[in-house]
Amino acid sequence: MKKTLTTIMLCSFCFGFSQSNSQLFTHYKAFYEQMKEQGDVQGVINALTHMNVLQPNEARKDTLAFFYSNSGQHVQAINLLGTENDPKASDLAVEVKARSLKALNQPQLAVAQFDIMFGRKPDIYVAYDIVDLNLQIGKTAEAETYIKYGLEHATDKDVLPFYQSNPPYQVPLKAAFTYQKGLLAYNKDKTNIDQAITYIDQAIAIAPNFKLALQIKELLLNQKAQEATPATEQK
């Protein structure tokens, strides 16, 4: 009798816990929808966190990481998803890892995720990011491959925004890839500054408002002048 009573109590407890768990999930799901409607990102993150604890789900975890990353909380996004190259990861998870790792200044790890993105769906904007990251880590051969792809596939309608200045501006993507071609030339041979400047001038000709290209050109000209000064003094 005592054993039977214990079993009944245990079953009753499990049923109550299951019902409570389900009710909590329903509550946080409604809370999630309300936070989305209100545009409350932190509320959305809180709701998804509770939902994922109550009912773990890969798709929900990826969505939570996306909201973290989209709100600038890149460390939290990476803590959630990890940095591994997972061929089974969803497209959203791969993109979140790529963007967050790039934002966290981890080019070696980020470029691996961007390579996965490009392998699944070739894209000129992803190619631009891959070039940028490969130049940072000194992989010039890889950078050259994607520059070629970008210049071959970018159209006159494709533009790339730059947010480093105030106000932000945008330039044709062809100009951006041509600018990268100048950076590549410099990385391959730092003694041939003129070649790098030639490509950067081509980029500026396409986009006269290309502030970043103008700044880099000025730096290269200053470097060239400094290198020429000792030779002049010796004479």
Side-chain angles (χ1 to χ4, degrees):
M1 180 67 181
K2 188 176 180 180
K3 185 176 181 181
T4 303
L5 183 61
T6 302
T7 303
I8 292 172
M9 289 177 66
L10 183 61
C11 290
S12 176
F13 171 78
C14 291
F15 176 75
F17 178 79
S18 176
Q19 188 178 33
S20 175
N21 187 300
S22 178
Q23 288 173 344
L24 277 172
F25 185 84
T26 300
H27 163 76
Y28 282 113
K29 186 175 182 181
F31 181 71
Y32 166 69
E33 295 297 337
Q34 185 62 39
M35 291 299 98
K36 278 206 306 181
E37 186 176 328
Q38 294 174 197
D40 186 335
V41 176
Q42 193 56 51
V44 166
I45 288 172
N46 291 339
L48 283 170
T49 299
H50 281 92
M51 291 165 66
N52 207 46
V53 169
L54 291 165
Q55 294 184 19
N57 177 284
E58 285 297 316
R60 192 176 299 117
K61 184 178 74 171
D62 295 347
T63 303
L64 174 56
F66 166 78
F67 278 105
Y68 269 133
S69 180
N70 214 38
S71 61
Q73 300 180 71
H74 301 293
V75 171
Q76 290 86 338
I78 292 302
N79 285 342
L80 198 60
L81 297 178
T83 62
E84 297 80 13
N85 299 337
D86 183 3
K88 296 180 180 179
S90 69
D91 290 347
L92 179 60
V94 173
E95 182 172 357
V96 168
K97 286 198 280 188
R99 303 295 178 193
S100 289
L101 287 167
K102 182 181 179 182
L104 293 171
N105 196 29
Q106 297 291 330
Q108 189 82 45
L109 294 172
V111 75
Q113 302 300 326
F114 277 104
D115 280 335
I116 294 173
M117 286 173 61
F118 189 89
R120 292 182 180 183
K121 186 179 179 181
D123 178 87
I124 49 177
Y125 292 96
V126 173
Y128 182 88
D129 281 323
I130 292 175
V131 174
D132 181 41
L133 293 165
N134 275 317
L135 287 175
Q136 289 182 46
I137 59 180
K139 291 188 174 182
T140 55
E142 291 83 347
E144 190 167 12
T145 296
Y146 286 100
I147 288 173
K148 183 179 179 181
Y149 175 89
L151 289 172
E152 287 177 353
H153 291 84
T155 70
D156 293 336
K157 295 180 180 179
D158 297 316
V159 296
L160 184 71
F162 285 84
Y163 300 103
Q164 293 89 342
S165 65
N166 191 17
Y169 64 97
Q170 60 183 25
V171 302
L173 198 50
K174 283 185 177 180
F177 276 112
T178 305
Y179 158 75
Q180 286 184 324
K181 196 172 181 179
L183 297 182
L184 174 66
Y186 178 75
N187 275 270
K188 290 174 72 174
D189 183 3
K190 291 181 172 59
T191 64
N192 192 359
I193 294 177
D194 287 338
Q195 181 65 69
I197 291 175
T198 296
Y199 291 129
I200 292 173
D201 276 339
Q202 291 174 8
I204 295 170
I206 299 170
N209 68 321
F210 201 162
K211 295 179 183 179
L212 182 59
L214 290 165
Q215 291 169 0
I216 296 300
K217 178 184 176 180
E218 185 177 355
L219 289 172
L220 289 174
L221 288 172
N222 288 339
Q223 181 180 332
K224 183 180 177 182
Q226 289 173 7
E227 290 175 356
T229 300
T232 303
E233 290 177 349
Q234 287 177 5
K235 291 181 181 179

